Amino acid sequence: MATTFVKNPLPPCPNTPNCIRTHHAFNFRIEHVFEALTQIFEKEAKFVELIDPKRIEIHAVYQLPIFGFKDDIDVIMEENPGVTTVFIRSSSRLGAYDFGVNKRRVKRILRKIVDKIKN
């Protein structure tokens, strides 16, 4: 089975376990993925900004409820016929450890995109 290489346009994570950078391909049009992601961020994030509407680049800030620590989420979307690739990076602003918070958040966001589009 051939593996395809996808160049992630987001900056790499530092050599600390408080960051995750990954991508996921969806068999949905980019408009549907963008709408679902926007709804998720509007409900969950403390701050959301569309950085570049042509490239579909989004920045969001999540804030942990107990200690108030902030995490930055960056997303870039690309569409090829019928497939939308979401490049996502979630990183803590402070500390070297996040106890898996960023990884769980990214998995949850990607799962919610599918749930919102299917419903």
Side-chain angles (χ1 to χ4, degrees), residues 99-110:
F99 302 101
V101 169
N102 287 296
K103 185 175 183 176
R104 287 191 305 274
R105 178 184 299 121
V106 167
K107 284 184 175 185
R108 187 183 73 249
I109 290 169
L110 296 174

Side-chain angles (χ1 to χ4, degrees), residues 18-60:
N18 65 348
C19 178
I20 181 170
R21 181 182 82 147
T22 189
H23 68 280
H24 186 81
F26 295 95
N27 291 319
F28 303 115
R29 294 196 40 84
I30 199 164
E31 297 86 11
H32 301 296
V33 177
F34 176 76
E35 182 179 339
L37 189 59
T38 301
Q39 290 173 6
I40 293 165
F41 283 161
E42 286 176 353
K43 186 174 182 179
E44 297 180 1
K46 180 89 172 163
F47 172 81
V48 181
E49 178 181 19
L50 182 61
I51 303 293
D52 184 348
K54 291 181 181 176
R55 186 177 178 184
I56 306 187
E57 185 174 348
I58 304 167
H59 175 76

Side-chain angles (χ1 to χ4, degrees), residues 45-94:
K46 180 89 172 163
F47 172 81
V48 181
E49 178 181 19
L50 182 61
I51 303 293
D52 184 348
K54 291 181 181 176
R55 186 177 178 184
I56 306 187
E57 185 174 348
I58 304 167
H59 175 76
V61 177
Y62 277 63
Q63 187 168 3
L64 299 179
I66 297 174
F67 297 109
F69 297 131
K70 293 180 181 175
D71 296 340
D72 294 299
I73 316 294
D74 294 296
V75 175
I76 295 175
M77 288 187 239
E78 295 178 357
E79 184 178 39
N80 292 312
V83 176
T84 299
T85 303
V86 174
F87 298 95
I88 188 166
R89 181 182 189 272
S90 182
S91 178
S92 300
R93 289 185 182 179
L94 298 174

